[in-house]
PDB file of all heavy atoms in Angstrom:
ATOM      1  N   VAL A  14     -88.196-116.133 -31.187  1.00 98.00           N
ATOM      2  CA  VAL A  14     -89.092-115.229 -31.914  1.00 98.00           C
ATOM      3  C   VAL A  14     -90.308-115.992 -32.420  1.00 98.00           C
ATOM      4  O   VAL A  14     -91.445-115.517 -32.343  1.00 98.00           O
ATOM      5  CB  VAL A  14     -88.332-114.565 -33.082  1.00 98.00           C
ATOM      6  CG1 VAL A  14     -89.299-113.920 -34.074  1.00 98.00           C
ATOM      7  CG2 VAL A  14     -87.350-113.528 -32.564  1.00 98.00           C
ATOM      8  N   ASN A  15     -90.069-117.201 -32.919  1.00 98.00           N
ATOM      9  CA  ASN A  15     -91.176-118.024 -33.417  1.00 98.00           C
ATOM     10  C   ASN A  15     -92.064-118.521 -32.287  1.00 98.00           C
ATOM     11  O   ASN A  15     -93.286-118.376 -32.308  1.00 98.00           O
ATOM     12  CB  ASN A  15     -90.623-119.220 -34.190  1.00 98.00           C
ATOM     13  CG  ASN A  15     -89.965-118.834 -35.495  1.00 98.00           C
ATOM     14  OD1 ASN A  15     -90.327-117.845 -36.121  1.00 98.00           O
ATOM     15  ND2 ASN A  15     -88.981-119.615 -35.925  1.00 98.00           N
ATOM     16  N   GLN A  16     -91.455-119.145 -31.293  1.00 97.00           N
ATOM     17  CA  GLN A  16     -92.218-119.798 -30.222  1.00 97.00           C
ATOM     18  C   GLN A  16     -92.976-118.815 -29.343  1.00 97.00           C
ATOM     19  O   GLN A  16     -94.106-119.081 -28.926  1.00 97.00           O
ATOM     20  CB  GLN A  16     -91.278-120.632 -29.343  1.00 97.00           C
ATOM     21  CG  GLN A  16     -90.786-121.907 -29.978  1.00 97.00           C
ATOM     22  CD  GLN A  16     -90.101-122.797 -28.954  1.00 97.00           C
ATOM     23  OE1 GLN A  16     -90.279-122.655 -27.753  1.00 97.00           O
ATOM     24  NE2 GLN A  16     -89.303-123.739 -29.431  1.00 97.00           N
ATOM     25  N   ASP A  17     -92.347-117.675 -29.047  1.00 97.00           N
ATOM     26  CA  ASP A  17     -92.917-116.765 -28.064  1.00 97.00           C
ATOM     27  C   ASP A  17     -93.842-115.718 -28.676  1.00 97.00           C
ATOM     28  O   ASP A  17     -94.724-115.203 -27.986  1.00 97.00           O
ATOM     29  CB  ASP A  17     -91.803-116.048 -27.294  1.00 97.00           C
ATOM     30  CG  ASP A  17     -90.917-116.998 -26.514  1.00 97.00           C
ATOM     31  OD1 ASP A  17     -91.326-118.149 -26.292  1.00 97.00           O
ATOM     32  OD2 ASP A  17     -89.802-116.586 -26.133  1.00 97.00           O
ATOM     33  N   ILE A  18     -93.637-115.397 -29.967  1.00 97.00           N
ATOM     34  CA  ILE A  18     -94.367-114.260 -30.531  1.00 97.00           C
ATOM     35  C   ILE A  18     -95.146-114.621 -31.798  1.00 97.00           C
ATOM     36  O   ILE A  18     -96.378-114.618 -31.809  1.00 97.00           O
ATOM     37  CB  ILE A  18     -93.406-113.079 -30.801  1.00 97.00           C
ATOM     38  CG1 ILE A  18     -92.793-112.599 -29.477  1.00 97.00           C
ATOM     39  CG2 ILE A  18     -94.126-111.940 -31.514  1.00 97.00           C
ATOM     40  CD1 ILE A  18     -91.785-111.490 -29.614  1.00 97.00           C
ATOM     41  N   TRP A  19     -94.460-114.965 -32.865  1.00 97.00           N
ATOM     42  CA  TRP A  19     -95.129-115.032 -34.161  1.00 97.00           C
ATOM     43  C   TRP A  19     -95.976-116.279 -34.357  1.00 97.00           C
ATOM     44  O   TRP A  19     -97.088-116.196 -34.891  1.00 97.00           O
ATOM     45  CB  TRP A  19     -94.099-114.906 -35.298  1.00 97.00           C
ATOM     46  CG  TRP A  19     -93.775-113.471 -35.574  1.00 97.00           C
ATOM     47  CD1 TRP A  19     -92.682-112.767 -35.151  1.00 97.00           C
ATOM     48  CD2 TRP A  19     -94.568-112.553 -36.321  1.00 97.00           C
ATOM     49  NE1 TRP A  19     -92.743-111.470 -35.580  1.00 97.00           N
ATOM     50  CE2 TRP A  19     -93.896-111.311 -36.315  1.00 97.00           C
ATOM     51  CE3 TRP A  19     -95.780-112.653 -36.998  1.00 97.00           C
ATOM     52  CZ2 TRP A  19     -94.402-110.183 -36.964  1.00 97.00           C
ATOM     53  CZ3 TRP A  19     -96.282-111.536 -37.644  1.00 97.00           C
ATOM     54  CH2 TRP A  19     -95.604-110.317 -37.620  1.00 97.00           C
ATOM     55  N   PHE A  20     -95.507-117.428 -33.909  1.00 96.00           N
ATOM     56  CA  PHE A  20     -96.289-118.642 -34.145  1.00 96.00           C
ATOM     57  C   PHE A  20     -97.565-118.701 -33.314  1.00 96.00           C
ATOM     58  O   PHE A  20     -98.648-118.941 -33.862  1.00 96.00           O
ATOM     59  CB  PHE A  20     -95.434-119.892 -33.910  1.00 96.00           C
ATOM     60  CG  PHE A  20     -96.226-121.167 -34.017  1.00 96.00           C
ATOM     61  CD1 PHE A  20     -96.679-121.620 -35.246  1.00 96.00           C
ATOM     62  CD2 PHE A  20     -96.541-121.907 -32.892  1.00 96.00           C
ATOM     63  CE1 PHE A  20     -97.428-122.789 -35.358  1.00 96.00           C
ATOM     64  CE2 PHE A  20     -97.279-123.073 -32.985  1.00 96.00           C
ATOM     65  CZ  PHE A  20     -97.728-123.519 -34.226  1.00 96.00           C
ATOM     66  N   PRO A  21     -97.513-118.513 -31.994  1.00 94.00           N
ATOM     67  CA  PRO A  21     -98.752-118.669 -31.226  1.00 94.00           C
ATOM     68  C   PRO A  21     -99.817-117.640 -31.577  1.00 94.00           C
ATOM     69  O   PRO A  21    -101.012-117.895 -31.389  1.00 94.00           O
ATOM     70  CB  PRO A  21     -98.288-118.520 -29.769  1.00 94.00           C
ATOM     71  CG  PRO A  21     -96.985-117.819 -29.840  1.00 94.00           C
ATOM     72  CD  PRO A  21     -96.360-118.220 -31.132  1.00 94.00           C
ATOM     73  N   GLN A  22     -99.423-116.489 -32.107  1.00 94.00           N
ATOM     74  CA  GLN A  22    -100.400-115.447 -32.397  1.00 94.00           C
ATOM     75  C   GLN A  22    -100.848-115.433 -33.861  1.00 94.00           C
ATOM     76  O   GLN A  22    -102.022-115.206 -34.146  1.00 94.00           O
ATOM     77  CB  GLN A  22     -99.822-114.075 -32.037  1.00 94.00           C
ATOM     78  CG  GLN A  22     -99.474-113.943 -30.559  1.00 94.00           C
ATOM     79  CD  GLN A  22     -99.012-112.547 -30.226  1.00 94.00           C
ATOM     80  OE1 GLN A  22     -99.799-111.628 -30.073  1.00 94.00           O
ATOM     81  NE2 GLN A  22     -97.697-112.385 -30.121  1.00 94.00           N
ATOM     82  N   ALA A  23     -99.910-115.645 -34.770  1.00 95.00           N
ATOM     83  CA  ALA A  23    -100.218-115.481 -36.193  1.00 95.00           C
ATOM     84  C   ALA A  23     -99.985-116.745 -37.011  1.00 95.00           C
ATOM     85  O   ALA A  23    -100.207-116.721 -38.228  1.00 95.00           O
ATOM     86  CB  ALA A  23     -99.383-114.335 -36.778  1.00 95.00           C
ATOM     87  N   GLN A  24     -99.541-117.832 -36.375  1.00 95.00           N
ATOM     88  CA  GLN A  24     -99.210-119.057 -37.110  1.00 95.00           C
ATOM     89  C   GLN A  24     -98.199-118.774 -38.222  1.00 95.00           C
ATOM     90  O   GLN A  24     -98.280-119.335 -39.318  1.00 95.00           O
ATOM     91  CB  GLN A  24    -100.469-119.701 -37.704  1.00 95.00           C
ATOM     92  CG  GLN A  24    -101.427-120.269 -36.664  1.00 95.00           C
ATOM     93  CD  GLN A  24    -100.866-121.507 -35.965  1.00 95.00           C
ATOM     94  OE1 GLN A  24    -100.422-121.440 -34.830  1.00 95.00           O
ATOM     95  NE2 GLN A  24    -100.909-122.637 -36.626  1.00 95.00           N
ATOM     96  N   ILE A  25     -97.249-117.906 -37.928  1.00 97.00           N
ATOM     97  CA  ILE A  25     -96.145-117.591 -38.839  1.00 97.00           C
ATOM     98  C   ILE A  25     -94.845-117.951 -38.129  1.00 97.00           C
ATOM     99  O   ILE A  25     -94.683-117.688 -36.935  1.00 97.00           O
ATOM    100  CB  ILE A  25     -96.140-116.098 -39.222  1.00 97.00           C
ATOM    101  CG1 ILE A  25     -97.344-115.776 -40.120  1.00 97.00           C
ATOM    102  CG2 ILE A  25     -94.846-115.706 -39.917  1.00 97.00           C
ATOM    103  CD1 ILE A  25     -97.499-114.288 -40.425  1.00 97.00           C
ATOM    104  N   ALA A  26     -93.919-118.566 -38.861  1.00 98.00           N
ATOM    105  CA  ALA A  26     -92.585-118.857 -38.327  1.00 98.00           C
ATOM    106  C   ALA A  26     -91.553-118.473 -39.377  1.00 98.00           C
ATOM    107  O   ALA A  26     -91.791-118.601 -40.577  1.00 98.00           O
ATOM    108  CB  ALA A  26     -92.446-120.327 -37.947  1.00 98.00           C
ATOM    109  N   PHE A  27     -90.411-118.022 -38.906  1.00 98.00           N
ATOM    110  CA  PHE A  27     -89.295-117.652 -39.769  1.00 98.00           C
ATOM    111  C   PHE A  27     -88.268-118.785 -39.708  1.00 98.00           C
ATOM    112  O   PHE A  27     -87.834-119.176 -38.624  1.00 98.00           O
ATOM    113  CB  PHE A  27     -88.706-116.316 -39.333  1.00 98.00           C
ATOM    114  CG  PHE A  27     -89.690-115.190 -39.447  1.00 98.00           C
ATOM    115  CD1 PHE A  27     -90.519-114.869 -38.376  1.00 98.00           C
ATOM    116  CD2 PHE A  27     -89.830-114.488 -40.633  1.00 98.00           C
ATOM    117  CE1 PHE A  27     -91.447-113.848 -38.482  1.00 98.00           C
ATOM    118  CE2 PHE A  27     -90.765-113.465 -40.749  1.00 98.00           C
ATOM    119  CZ  PHE A  27     -91.575-113.140 -39.675  1.00 98.00           C
ATOM    120  N   SER A  28     -87.921-119.319 -40.875  1.00 98.00           N
ATOM    121  CA  SER A  28     -87.113-120.545 -40.929  1.00 98.00           C
ATOM    122  C   SER A  28     -85.713-120.254 -41.443  1.00 98.00           C
ATOM    123  O   SER A  28     -85.484-119.271 -42.152  1.00 98.00           O
ATOM    124  CB  SER A  28     -87.786-121.588 -41.824  1.00 98.00           C
ATOM    125  OG  SER A  28     -87.898-121.108 -43.156  1.00 98.00           O
ATOM    126  N   SER A  29     -84.791-121.126 -41.089  1.00 96.00           N
ATOM    127  CA  SER A  29     -83.423-121.057 -41.579  1.00 96.00           C
ATOM    128  C   SER A  29     -83.044-122.405 -42.162  1.00 96.00           C
ATOM    129  O   SER A  29     -83.244-123.440 -41.519  1.00 96.00           O
ATOM    130  CB  SER A  29     -82.453-120.690 -40.452  1.00 96.00           C
ATOM    131  OG  SER A  29     -81.107-120.777 -40.890  1.00 96.00           O
ATOM    132  N   VAL A  30     -82.493-122.382 -43.374  1.00 90.00           N
ATOM    133  CA  VAL A  30     -82.117-123.649 -44.011  1.00 90.00           C
ATOM    134  C   VAL A  30     -80.748-124.123 -43.548  1.00 90.00           C
ATOM    135  O   VAL A  30     -80.274-125.154 -44.012  1.00 90.00           O
ATOM    136  CB  VAL A  30     -82.128-123.535 -45.547  1.00 90.00           C
ATOM    137  CG1 VAL A  30     -83.520-123.256 -46.056  1.00 90.00           C
ATOM    138  CG2 VAL A  30     -81.146-122.464 -46.024  1.00 90.00           C
ATOM    139  N   ILE A  31     -80.099-123.377 -42.648  1.00 93.00           N
ATOM    140  CA  ILE A  31     -78.847-123.853 -42.070  1.00 93.00           C
ATOM    141  C   ILE A  31     -78.993-123.925 -40.560  1.00 93.00           C
ATOM    142  O   ILE A  31     -79.818-123.239 -39.965  1.00 93.00           O
ATOM    143  CB  ILE A  31     -77.640-122.962 -42.436  1.00 93.00           C
ATOM    144  CG1 ILE A  31     -77.781-121.564 -41.800  1.00 93.00           C
ATOM    145  CG2 ILE A  31     -77.449-122.875 -43.927  1.00 93.00           C
ATOM    146  CD1 ILE A  31     -76.519-120.758 -41.827  1.00 93.00           C
ATOM    147  N   GLU A  32     -78.205-124.758 -39.931  1.00 92.00           N
ATOM    148  CA  GLU A  32     -78.136-124.854 -38.473  1.00 92.00           C
ATOM    149  C   GLU A  32     -76.829-124.294 -37.941  1.00 92.00           C
ATOM    150  O   GLU A  32     -76.734-123.947 -36.773  1.00 92.00           O
ATOM    151  CB  GLU A  32     -78.263-126.315 -38.038  1.00 92.00           C
ATOM    152  CG  GLU A  32     -79.594-126.932 -38.390  1.00 92.00           C
ATOM    153  CD  GLU A  32     -79.756-128.286 -37.738  1.00 92.00           C
ATOM    154  OE1 GLU A  32     -78.821-129.112 -37.820  1.00 92.00           O
ATOM    155  OE2 GLU A  32     -80.810-128.504 -37.145  1.00 92.00           O
ATOM    156  N   THR A  33     -75.840-124.206 -38.785  1.00 93.00           N
ATOM    157  CA  THR A  33     -74.541-123.674 -38.387  1.00 93.00           C
ATOM    158  C   THR A  33     -73.850-123.147 -39.641  1.00 93.00           C
ATOM    159  O   THR A  33     -74.202-123.520 -40.758  1.00 93.00           O
ATOM    160  CB  THR A  33     -73.680-124.750 -37.712  1.00 93.00           C
ATOM    161  OG1 THR A  33     -72.475-124.157 -37.211  1.00 93.00           O
ATOM    162  CG2 THR A  33     -73.311-125.860 -38.674  1.00 93.00           C
ATOM    163  N   GLY A  34     -72.888-122.238 -39.449  1.00 95.00           N
ATOM    164  CA  GLY A  34     -72.191-121.672 -40.593  1.00 95.00           C
ATOM    165  C   GLY A  34     -72.745-120.328 -41.017  1.00 95.00           C
ATOM    166  O   GLY A  34     -72.920-120.067 -42.213  1.00 95.00           O
ATOM    167  N   VAL A  35     -73.035-119.442 -40.056  1.00 97.00           N
ATOM    168  CA  VAL A  35     -73.552-118.110 -40.379  1.00 97.00           C
ATOM    169  C   VAL A  35     -72.416-117.271 -40.971  1.00 97.00           C
ATOM    170  O   VAL A  35     -71.348-117.140 -40.360  1.00 97.00           O
ATOM    171  CB  VAL A  35     -74.116-117.434 -39.117  1.00 97.00           C
ATOM    172  CG1 VAL A  35     -74.536-115.997 -39.405  1.00 97.00           C
ATOM    173  CG2 VAL A  35     -75.293-118.239 -38.575  1.00 97.00           C
ATOM    174  N   PRO A  36     -72.609-116.678 -42.164  1.00 97.00           N
ATOM    175  CA  PRO A  36     -71.519-115.926 -42.793  1.00 97.00           C
ATOM    176  C   PRO A  36     -71.149-114.652 -42.041  1.00 97.00           C
ATOM    177  O   PRO A  36     -72.009-113.958 -41.496  1.00 97.00           O
ATOM    178  CB  PRO A  36     -72.089-115.577 -44.175  1.00 97.00           C
ATOM    179  CG  PRO A  36     -73.195-116.545 -44.419  1.00 97.00           C
ATOM    180  CD  PRO A  36     -73.773-116.818 -43.064  1.00 97.00           C
ATOM    181  N   VAL A  37     -69.853-114.348 -42.027  1.00 98.00           N
ATOM    182  CA  VAL A  37     -69.333-113.063 -41.563  1.00 98.00           C
ATOM    183  C   VAL A  37     -69.120-112.195 -42.798  1.00 98.00           C
ATOM    184  O   VAL A  37     -68.517-112.641 -43.780  1.00 98.00           O
ATOM    185  CB  VAL A  37     -68.002-113.234 -40.800  1.00 98.00           C
ATOM    186  CG1 VAL A  37     -67.447-111.876 -40.366  1.00 98.00           C
ATOM    187  CG2 VAL A  37     -68.201-114.148 -39.590  1.00 98.00           C
ATOM    188  N   ILE A  38     -69.651-110.968 -42.756  1.00 97.00           N
ATOM    189  CA  ILE A  38     -69.549-110.078 -43.921  1.00 97.00           C
ATOM    190  C   ILE A  38     -68.769-108.826 -43.548  1.00 97.00           C
ATOM    191  O   ILE A  38     -68.630-108.473 -42.376  1.00 97.00           O
ATOM    192  CB  ILE A  38     -70.930-109.692 -44.477  1.00 97.00           C
ATOM    193  CG1 ILE A  38     -71.757-108.965 -43.419  1.00 97.00           C
ATOM    194  CG2 ILE A  38     -71.658-110.925 -44.970  1.00 97.00           C
ATOM    195  CD1 ILE A  38     -73.080-108.420 -43.958  1.00 97.00           C
ATOM    196  N   ALA A  39     -68.245-108.157 -44.575  1.00 94.00           N
ATOM    197  CA  ALA A  39     -67.430-106.967 -44.361  1.00 94.00           C
ATOM    198  C   ALA A  39     -68.282-105.799 -43.875  1.00 94.00           C
ATOM    199  O   ALA A  39     -69.454-105.659 -44.248  1.00 94.00           O
ATOM    200  CB  ALA A  39     -66.718-106.590 -45.660  1.00 94.00           C
ATOM    201  N   ASP A  40     -67.685-104.953 -43.043  1.00 91.00           N
ATOM    202  CA  ASP A  40     -68.310-103.704 -42.636  1.00 91.00           C
ATOM    203  C   ASP A  40     -68.342-102.790 -43.860  1.00 91.00           C
ATOM    204  O   ASP A  40     -67.288-102.456 -44.420  1.00 91.00           O
ATOM    205  CB  ASP A  40     -67.491-103.069 -41.511  1.00 91.00           C
ATOM    206  CG  ASP A  40     -68.132-101.823 -40.925  1.00 91.00           C
ATOM    207  OD1 ASP A  40     -68.954-101.195 -41.620  1.00 91.00           O
ATOM    208  OD2 ASP A  40     -67.798-101.467 -39.784  1.00 91.00           O
ATOM    209  N   PRO A  41     -69.530-102.358 -44.321  1.00 86.00           N
ATOM    210  CA  PRO A  41     -69.584-101.542 -45.544  1.00 86.00           C
ATOM    211  C   PRO A  41     -68.921-100.181 -45.379  1.00 86.00           C
ATOM    212  O   PRO A  41     -68.503 -99.579 -46.384  1.00 86.00           O
ATOM    213  CB  PRO A  41     -71.089-101.404 -45.809  1.00 86.00           C
ATOM    214  CG  PRO A  41     -71.749-101.674 -44.514  1.00 86.00           C
ATOM    215  CD  PRO A  41     -70.876-102.647 -43.796  1.00 86.00           C
ATOM    216  N   THR A  42     -68.834 -99.661 -44.168  1.00 80.00           N
ATOM    217  CA  THR A  42     -68.122 -98.404 -43.930  1.00 80.00           C
ATOM    218  C   THR A  42     -67.238 -98.581 -42.708  1.00 80.00           C
ATOM    219  O   THR A  42     -67.659 -98.312 -41.577  1.00 80.00           O
ATOM    220  CB  THR A  42     -69.102 -97.231 -43.697  1.00 80.00           C
ATOM    221  OG1 THR A  42     -70.066 -97.614 -42.721  1.00 80.00           O
ATOM    222  CG2 THR A  42     -69.801 -96.840 -44.980  1.00 80.00           C
ATOM    223  N   PRO A  43     -66.015 -99.053 -42.878  1.00 76.00           N
ATOM    224  CA  PRO A  43     -65.116 -99.257 -41.731  1.00 76.00           C
ATOM    225  C   PRO A  43     -64.812 -97.930 -41.045  1.00 76.00           C
ATOM    226  O   PRO A  43     -65.106 -96.854 -41.585  1.00 76.00           O
ATOM    227  CB  PRO A  43     -63.871 -99.872 -42.377  1.00 76.00           C
ATOM    228  CG  PRO A  43     -63.952 -99.501 -43.822  1.00 76.00           C
ATOM    229  CD  PRO A  43     -65.397 -99.407 -44.158  1.00 76.00           C
ATOM    230  N   PRO A  44     -64.225 -97.974 -39.838  1.00 77.00           N
ATOM    231  CA  PRO A  44     -64.015 -96.753 -39.048  1.00 77.00           C
ATOM    232  C   PRO A  44     -63.303 -95.632 -39.801  1.00 77.00           C
ATOM    233  O   PRO A  44     -63.559 -94.459 -39.555  1.00 77.00           O
ATOM    234  CB  PRO A  44     -63.189 -97.241 -37.864  1.00 77.00           C
ATOM    235  CG  PRO A  44     -63.573 -98.681 -37.726  1.00 77.00           C
ATOM    236  CD  PRO A  44     -63.805 -99.174 -39.121  1.00 77.00           C
ATOM    237  N   SER A  45     -62.433 -95.974 -40.733  1.00 67.00           N
ATOM    238  CA  SER A  45     -61.711 -94.936 -41.465  1.00 67.00           C
ATOM    239  C   SER A  45     -62.629 -94.132 -42.380  1.00 67.00           C
ATOM    240  O   SER A  45     -62.278 -93.043 -42.824  1.00 67.00           O
ATOM    241  CB  SER A  45     -60.600 -95.584 -42.310  1.00 67.00           C
ATOM    242  OG  SER A  45     -61.154 -96.515 -43.237  1.00 67.00           O
ATOM    243  N   ALA A  46     -63.838 -94.656 -42.648  1.00 63.00           N
ATOM    244  CA  ALA A  46     -64.739 -93.998 -43.594  1.00 63.00           C
ATOM    245  C   ALA A  46     -65.889 -93.267 -42.912  1.00 63.00           C
ATOM    246  O   ALA A  46     -66.670 -92.598 -43.579  1.00 63.00           O
ATOM    247  CB  ALA A  46     -65.295 -95.016 -44.586  1.00 63.00           C
ATOM    248  N   ILE A  47     -66.015 -93.379 -41.597  1.00 63.00           N
ATOM    249  CA  ILE A  47     -67.091 -92.702 -40.883  1.00 63.00           C
ATOM    250  C   ILE A  47     -66.520 -91.982 -39.674  1.00 63.00           C
ATOM    251  O   ILE A  47     -65.417 -92.268 -39.230  1.00 63.00           O
ATOM    252  CB  ILE A  47     -68.201 -93.687 -40.445  1.00 63.00           C
ATOM    253  CG1 ILE A  47     -67.620 -94.821 -39.585  1.00 63.00           C
ATOM    254  CG2 ILE A  47     -68.939 -94.249 -41.631  1.00 63.00           C
ATOM    255  CD1 ILE A  47     -68.679 -95.785 -39.072  1.00 63.00           C
ATOM    256  N   GLU A  48     -67.273 -91.052 -39.145  1.00 65.00           N
ATOM    257  CA  GLU A  48     -66.768 -90.211 -38.057  1.00 65.00           C
ATOM    258  C   GLU A  48     -67.008 -90.811 -36.684  1.00 65.00           C
ATOM    259  O   GLU A  48     -66.571 -90.252 -35.687  1.00 65.00           O
ATOM    260  CB  GLU A  48     -67.428 -88.825 -38.141  1.00 65.00           C
ATOM    261  CG  GLU A  48     -67.063 -88.073 -39.408  1.00 65.00           C
ATOM    262  CD  GLU A  48     -67.720 -86.713 -39.467  1.00 65.00           C
ATOM    263  OE1 GLU A  48     -68.510 -86.405 -38.551  1.00 65.00           O
ATOM    264  OE2 GLU A  48     -67.438 -85.969 -40.419  1.00 65.00           O
ATOM    265  N   CYS A  49     -67.749 -91.916 -36.602  1.00 69.00           N
ATOM    266  CA  CYS A  49     -68.030 -92.492 -35.297  1.00 69.00           C
ATOM    267  C   CYS A  49     -67.886 -94.001 -35.372  1.00 69.00           C
ATOM    268  O   CYS A  49     -67.887 -94.597 -36.446  1.00 69.00           O
ATOM    269  CB  CYS A  49     -69.442 -92.130 -34.832  1.00 69.00           C
ATOM    270  SG  CYS A  49     -70.752 -92.837 -35.873  1.00 69.00           S
ATOM    271  N   GLY A  50     -67.789 -94.584 -34.197  1.00 74.00           N
ATOM    272  CA  GLY A  50     -67.897 -96.027 -34.126  1.00 74.00           C
ATOM    273  C   GLY A  50     -66.606 -96.778 -34.346  1.00 74.00           C
ATOM    274  O   GLY A  50     -65.533 -96.219 -34.537  1.00 74.00           O
ATOM    275  N   ARG A  51     -66.762 -98.110 -34.342  1.00 88.00           N
ATOM    276  CA  ARG A  51     -65.667 -99.046 -34.528  1.00 88.00           C
ATOM    277  C   ARG A  51     -66.023 -99.999 -35.656  1.00 88.00           C
ATOM    278  O   ARG A  51     -67.122 -99.938 -36.223  1.00 88.00           O
ATOM    279  CB  ARG A  51     -65.460 -99.844 -33.237  1.00 88.00           C
ATOM    280  CG  ARG A  51     -64.981 -99.018 -32.061  1.00 88.00           C
ATOM    281  CD  ARG A  51     -65.062 -99.772 -30.746  1.00 88.00           C
ATOM    282  NE  ARG A  51     -64.924-101.213 -30.875  1.00 88.00           N
ATOM    283  CZ  ARG A  51     -65.105-102.063 -29.859  1.00 88.00           C
ATOM    284  NH1 ARG A  51     -65.423-101.595 -28.656  1.00 88.00           N
ATOM    285  NH2 ARG A  51     -64.978-103.360 -30.040  1.00 88.00           N
ATOM    286  N   LEU A  52     -65.090-100.892 -35.957  1.00 91.00           N
ATOM    287  CA  LEU A  52     -65.378-101.915 -36.954  1.00 91.00           C
ATOM    288  C   LEU A  52     -66.597-102.722 -36.509  1.00 91.00           C
ATOM    289  O   LEU A  52     -66.689-103.154 -35.359  1.00 91.00           O
ATOM    290  CB  LEU A  52     -64.171-102.843 -37.096  1.00 91.00           C
ATOM    291  CG  LEU A  52     -64.254-103.883 -38.229  1.00 91.00           C
ATOM    292  CD1 LEU A  52     -64.192-103.196 -39.581  1.00 91.00           C
ATOM    293  CD2 LEU A  52     -63.126-104.904 -38.093  1.00 91.00           C
ATOM    294  N   GLY A  53     -67.563-102.893 -37.404  1.00 91.00           N
ATOM    295  CA  GLY A  53     -68.788-103.603 -37.079  1.00 91.00           C
ATOM    296  C   GLY A  53     -69.955-102.705 -36.765  1.00 91.00           C
ATOM    297  O   GLY A  53     -71.053-103.188 -36.493  1.00 91.00           O
ATOM    298  N   ASP A  54     -69.741-101.366 -36.809  1.00 89.00           N
ATOM    299  CA  ASP A  54     -70.818-100.414 -36.551  1.00 89.00           C
ATOM    300  C   ASP A  54     -71.396 -99.918 -37.873  1.00 89.00           C
ATOM    301  O   ASP A  54     -70.650 -99.656 -38.828  1.00 89.00           O
ATOM    302  CB  ASP A  54     -70.311 -99.213 -35.757  1.00 89.00           C
ATOM    303  CG  ASP A  54     -69.912 -99.573 -34.336  1.00 89.00           C
ATOM    304  OD1 ASP A  54     -70.100-100.750 -33.959  1.00 89.00           O
ATOM    305  OD2 ASP A  54     -69.411 -98.693 -33.623  1.00 89.00           O
ATOM    306  N   LEU A  55     -72.712 -99.766 -37.917  1.00 84.00           N
ATOM    307  CA  LEU A  55     -73.379 -99.220 -39.097  1.00 84.00           C
ATOM    308  C   LEU A  55     -73.716 -97.758 -38.871  1.00 84.00           C
ATOM    309  O   LEU A  55     -74.113 -97.363 -37.775  1.00 84.00           O
ATOM    310  CB  LEU A  55     -74.669 -99.995 -39.400  1.00 84.00           C
ATOM    311  CG  LEU A  55     -74.508-101.418 -39.937  1.00 84.00           C
ATOM    312  CD1 LEU A  55     -75.868-102.064 -40.136  1.00 84.00           C
ATOM    313  CD2 LEU A  55     -73.731-101.419 -41.250  1.00 84.00           C
ATOM    314  N   ALA A  56     -73.559 -96.949 -39.920  1.00 78.00           N
ATOM    315  CA  ALA A  56     -73.869 -95.530 -39.839  1.00 78.00           C
ATOM    316  C   ALA A  56     -75.373 -95.316 -39.949  1.00 78.00           C
ATOM    317  O   ALA A  56     -76.049 -95.953 -40.750  1.00 78.00           O
ATOM    318  CB  ALA A  56     -73.156 -94.772 -40.949  1.00 78.00           C
ATOM    319  N   VAL A  57     -75.874 -94.417 -39.105  1.00 69.00           N
ATOM    320  CA  VAL A  57     -77.305 -94.124 -39.066  1.00 69.00           C
ATOM    321  C   VAL A  57     -77.488 -92.615 -39.085  1.00 69.00           C
ATOM    322  O   VAL A  57     -76.786 -91.893 -38.399  1.00 69.00           O
ATOM    323  CB  VAL A  57     -77.952 -94.708 -37.791  1.00 69.00           C
ATOM    324  CG1 VAL A  57     -79.414 -94.293 -37.687  1.00 69.00           C
ATOM    325  CG2 VAL A  57     -77.835 -96.216 -37.781  1.00 69.00           C
ATOM    326  N   ALA A  58     -78.444 -92.141 -39.883  1.00 59.00           N
ATOM    327  CA  ALA A  58     -78.803 -90.727 -39.883  1.00 59.00           C
ATOM    328  C   ALA A  58     -80.298 -90.632 -39.626  1.00 59.00           C
ATOM    329  O   ALA A  58     -81.099 -90.931 -40.503  1.00 59.00           O
ATOM    330  CB  ALA A  58     -78.432 -90.075 -41.212  1.00 59.00           C
ATOM    331  N   GLY A  59     -80.656 -90.238 -38.405  1.00 49.00           N
ATOM    332  CA  GLY A  59     -82.072 -90.213 -38.054  1.00 49.00           C
ATOM    333  C   GLY A  59     -82.653 -91.612 -38.122  1.00 49.00           C
ATOM    334  O   GLY A  59     -82.152 -92.538 -37.513  1.00 49.00           O
TER     335      GLY A  59
END
């Protein structure tokens, strides 16, 4: 995203202070709470 789009055109880059260890977070609405999808799906209305 940085190399191909944002940096060469706008001199903007998005940085990450970690190289490994991306957190896994809970699904805010698991399948039992919504009418569609599986675990890991987000509900969308329009």
